[in-house]
Amino acid sequence: MTTTHASFVIERTYPTAPPRVFAAWADPEAKRAWFVEGEGWEIQSYELDFREGGTERSQFRFLKGEETFGEKTVFGNETVFNEIVDNERIIFTYSMDRNGVRFSISLASVELKPAGGGTRLIFTEHGAFFDGADGVKMREAGWRELLDKLDAHLAANA
């Protein structure tokens, strides 16, 4: 059994103020819209308790990945919010599993900084990826896609 450690940082600038960007992470309906929903996914469950010590849990199938993962493959994500500073910072740990077998555990931070009339978001992740994990390149690509979806969500709900 092997463990691979890796880190990455993604920076984005959004044309909305930090409170609106923060709210998109904190509000269960908004977070589900950009973080969970999407074409090609079957969401089996999702819940968000956004507070320090609170959790976010989901189970889902990637329908386009059935040829890779198998028809019955269910992914799980379990998050614990470790620190929340309104409109400034969210720090959380999360684990991911495939059919109940954990394949990664990460520490992530979201920093929100005023940038003109908008927000500079700095997302940093430090992960431990186990045998069968998606690996850091796929994880970073996944977060880049999610942060694009956040941008679209903010634009659509301006």
Side-chain angles (χ1 to χ4, degrees):
M1 186 120 134
T2 61
T3 302
T4 303
H5 299 271
S7 300
F8 62 91
V9 177
I10 302 170
E11 292 193 31
R12 289 285 168 88
T13 301
Y14 299 104
T16 56
R20 282 209 51 238
V21 177
F22 183 84
W25 289 80
D27 177 78
E29 187 175 317
K31 180 93 182 264
R32 182 179 178 121
W34 69 267
F35 186 75
V36 179
E37 298 297 337
E39 186 178 330
W41 297 96
E42 176 188 287
I43 309 308
Q44 296 182 339
S45 65
Y46 178 73
E47 60 185 60
L48 173 64
D49 177 13
F50 188 78
R51 62 181 173 83
E52 286 187 7
T55 60
E56 179 177 38
R57 292 185 177 95
S58 61
Q59 286 195 321
F60 52 92
R61 287 181 47 224
F62 179 48
L63 301 176
K64 294 179 183 177
E66 288 182 354
E67 63 278 357
T68 303
F69 300 113
E71 184 179 336
K72 303 292 183 196
T73 302
V74 176
F75 291 92
N77 180 350
E78 186 162 332
T79 298
V80 175
F81 296 102
N82 305 100
E83 181 175 84
I84 298 171
V85 178
D86 287 356
N87 306 319
E88 292 182 25
R89 181 174 57 238
I90 305 163
I91 298 178
F92 56 95
T93 54
Y94 73 99
S95 63
M96 294 192 70
D97 66 76
R98 181 183 301 111
N99 292 332
V101 177
R102 186 176 295 136
F103 63 85
S104 70
I105 299 175
S106 296
L107 167 66
S109 67
V110 177
E111 298 172 78
L112 305 174
K113 301 185 180 295
T119 303
R120 187 167 132 238
L121 181 146
I122 305 163
F123 179 88
T124 306
E125 180 167 334
H126 309 283
F129 302 90
F130 314 134
D131 289 335
D134 56 355
V136 70
K137 287 183 182 180
M138 285 184 68
R139 184 65 56 85
E140 182 176 352
W143 273 107
R144 287 186 182 280
E145 182 179 323
L146 287 169
L147 294 175
D148 284 348
K149 287 177 66 178
L150 172 58
D151 191 26
H153 173 79
L154 290 168
N157 294 285

